[in-house]
Amino acid sequence: MFANGVDLTAGTDLEVDSSFISSVKTMRRKKKPTKIIIDWSGNEMSAEEYSAYLAKGKTGAHLFIDYDGCVWQFADLWAQQVTRCESVDESTIWIVLQNKGEPPESLHHRRGTFVETFNGKKASVLANTTDQLESLEAIIWLVCESLQMPPLVHRNSAGEII
């Protein structure tokens, strides 16, 4: 997993496929990233399909974690904004988890559902796999330690995660 050209995974057990790293056109940041946004893909695309989608400028992500917990890197973590999304600014590392987002659940990757509110409407959403969450945890700790980012969860005044 590259940040400013340095492989952060050297000496760790975390494996990251960076063969698609040139699929997203980016600019280098002037300052180190200060936050991580975790998102789901909202579809069942594989990393290869997601890479092709990124190449068309449809969306963007630094990292993608598939159902099996395999990590794919599409942009150096030191690359600034990899998309035109308001919540992902130049200080953000964006991690996307492969996930359809809505039931029915895949028979190959069994997972439960939970209820989430989107734009004032409640929807059942598929949970992530254990493999995805284990990879995500390893990435977060490695990024926070390597880039000296405090692992904090930001909350609004009501205590809700923002």
Side-chain angles (χ1 to χ4, degrees), residues 1 9 13-20 45-48 50 62-74 95-99 109 128-139:
M1 182 168 52
T9 59
D13 292 334
L14 184 63
E15 293 183 31
V16 178
D17 185 324
S18 58
S19 59
F20 296 117
M45 280 190 242
S46 67
E48 292 87 356
Y50 197 74
H62 291 91
L63 301 168
F64 180 90
I65 305 172
D66 69 18
Y67 294 131
D68 295 321
C70 297
V71 181
W72 304 79
Q73 185 168 15
F74 296 117
I95 301 172
V96 172
L97 301 166
Q98 181 184 19
N99 195 326
H109 303 280
N128 298 105
T129 67
T130 301
D131 292 333
Q132 285 177 308
L133 297 176
E134 287 173 354
S135 293
L136 179 62
E137 179 184 25
I139 289 168

Side-chain angles (χ1 to χ4, degrees), residues 117-122:
T117 302
F118 298 99
N119 299 323
K121 296 179 183 177
K122 292 188 177 193

Side-chain angles (χ1 to χ4, degrees), residues 40-86:
W40 59 46
S41 62
N43 55 50
E44 299 286 352
M45 280 190 242
S46 67
E48 292 87 356
E49 293 166 326
Y50 197 74
S51 173
Y53 195 67
L54 296 176
K56 294 177 184 175
K58 302 285 184 185
T59 187
H62 291 91
L63 301 168
F64 180 90
I65 305 172
D66 69 18
Y67 294 131
D68 295 321
C70 297
V71 181
W72 304 79
Q73 185 168 15
F74 296 117
D76 188 297
L77 300 182
W78 211 266
Q80 75 178 31
Q81 193 170 355
V82 292
T83 183
R84 293 178 296 267
C85 179
E86 290 177 21

Side-chain angles (χ1 to χ4, degrees), residues 88-148:
V88 182
D89 60 26
E90 66 182 45
S91 67
T92 304
I93 293 172
W94 191 5
I95 301 172
V96 172
L97 301 166
Q98 181 184 19
N99 195 326
K100 182 173 180 167
E102 298 176 15
E105 122 181 11
S106 163
L107 296 177
H108 292 306
H109 303 280
R110 298 192 55 80
R111 54 203 196 268
T113 61
F114 61 95
V115 176
E116 183 71 42
T117 302
F118 298 99
N119 299 323
K121 296 179 183 177
K122 292 188 177 193
S124 291
V125 180
L126 291 170
N128 298 105
T129 67
T130 301
D131 292 333
Q132 285 177 308
L133 297 176
E134 287 173 354
S135 293
L136 179 62
E137 179 184 25
I139 289 168
I140 289 172
W141 284 110
L142 184 58
V143 166
C144 288
E145 185 176 298
S146 299
L147 301 181
Q148 299 173 350

